[in-house]
Amino acid sequence: MQMTSAPHLLAEDGPEYERILGDALRHAHERPDLEGVGDRLNTEQLRTMALSATALITAAAATEYEHYVKARGELRRAATAEGADGTPAPDGPQSTAAGSGAGIGAVITVLTPLLAGSAAVIFLLVGYLLKAVGPSVTFGGSLVAAGWFFAAVAAAAILVAAVGLLVTALRNGATSLAAENEEQGLPEDVARAREAWRHALLERGILPFLRDALADPTAGPAARTPHRSPNRIPKVGYSRPDFSGPDDGPAAGPRPTFTSPDFTSPDFGGPEHQPD
């Protein structure tokens, strides 16, 4: 399986990422570097931000994740090869027939109490009504007997459904326990690779992201990437006024030019006295 240096998180590992993130947020109060949780940002806000930045966070543990995926893939290929040499997989005609039987049994289990209970109510109601109207009518007694029979059938069906639910719950619990035991029984190299990825994801990905988010709650994930100036403030559509001294006019626009008065000798007067 060829992977890049920063592989995307596979869908099957998404729940594990969310679980590690949830544990980090749940125990954030135990870490002094995450003491701002709840003051600046709450856990739900941090969770949303971390889920939005999954690719950025998981890239910090890309090497460990690549090693883990390769080790897990080799284990699965080996298990597939062993299954090909042994008995066929349980997806043949027998399993299909078993699935159909289970589906029919579930339908019968659900419908029997409903139908039997409805029949019991109808027969009992009509039978007791006939007995009240005409005590001499023997048909009413037959309806009452049939109604109690269906009531017993409904009770038995409910009991069977309850037992079936209990058995299903125990079976699901056993399946979950078997899956957990299978996970604990992974080969040493796969288990070690998975633990290394989990540790790197937490220490180099999730925790630094949470610390940066708490340090600057107003910045998004893109603002916490390197080579971004924190003083880059967007400019609005006007500029501040340019204050100048009292002798200076406005800063913008051409300034008027003043010349000093031309003082001459008494021979020159006003405009009516032209020089010789």
Side-chain angles (χ1 to χ4, degrees):
M1 181 177 181
Q2 186 67 24
M3 302 184 68
T4 60
S5 58
H8 293 289
L9 190 68
L10 299 179
E12 60 181 304
D13 297 320
E16 183 66 16
Y17 170 76
E18 296 181 7
R19 186 190 67 80
I20 298 174
L21 174 62
D23 290 342
L25 294 174
R26 194 176 304 111
H27 301 285
H29 63 280
E30 302 175 2
R31 291 180 171 269
D33 52 346
L34 298 180
E35 60 182 3
V37 176
D39 298 334
R40 302 182 182 94
L41 295 171
N42 56 36
T43 55
E44 290 303 322
Q45 291 173 325
L46 290 172
R47 184 190 306 274
T48 302
M49 295 171 64
L51 291 177
S52 301
T54 299
L56 178 65
I57 295 175
T58 55
T63 303
E64 289 79 4
Y65 183 63
E66 181 179 3
H67 180 65
Y68 168 52
V69 171
K70 285 183 177 180
R72 184 176 60 186
E74 293 176 358
L75 176 63
R76 290 177 177 176
R77 284 191 293 271
T80 303
E82 291 179 0
D85 296 337
T87 57
D91 55 355
Q94 292 182 354
S95 65
T96 304
S100 301
I104 295 175
V107 172
I108 293 176
T109 303
V110 172
L111 290 181
T112 300
L114 295 177
L115 296 178
S118 301
V121 171
I122 293 174
F123 282 124
L124 289 175
L125 183 61
V126 175
Y128 280 114
L129 183 61
L130 289 178
K131 290 181 66 176
V133 173
S136 60
V137 179
T138 58
F139 186 65
S142 301
L143 292 178
V144 170
W148 284 115
F149 171 76
F150 282 110
V153 172
I158 293 174
L159 180 61
V160 171
V163 173
L165 291 176
L166 180 61
V167 172
T168 302
L170 293 176
R171 185 182 304 169
N172 292 337
T175 303
S176 302
L177 183 60
E180 183 178 355
N181 293 334
E182 181 181 358
E183 183 178 354
Q184 294 178 354
L186 288 175
E188 183 179 358
D189 56 342
V190 179
R192 188 166 54 247
R194 183 184 60 187
E195 188 61 29
W197 170 62
R198 289 176 176 176
H199 180 76
L201 180 63
L202 177 64
E203 298 295 334
R204 298 205 308 263
I206 294 177
L207 293 180
F209 179 86
L210 296 179
R211 286 193 293 266
D212 292 344
L214 292 173
D216 187 6
T218 60
R224 284 184 285 276
T225 55
H227 308 295
R228 182 178 175 89
S229 174
N231 296 324
R232 185 175 299 175
I233 303 175
K235 295 182 179 180
V236 294
Y238 60 90
S239 60
R240 62 181 182 179
D242 188 6
F243 297 99
S244 58
D247 296 334
D248 298 331
R255 300 175 60 181
T257 304
F258 297 95
T259 59
S260 61
D262 189 7
F263 296 99
T264 60
S265 62
D267 295 337
F268 295 92
E272 68 275 10
H273 296 88
Q274 299 295 329
D276 296 337

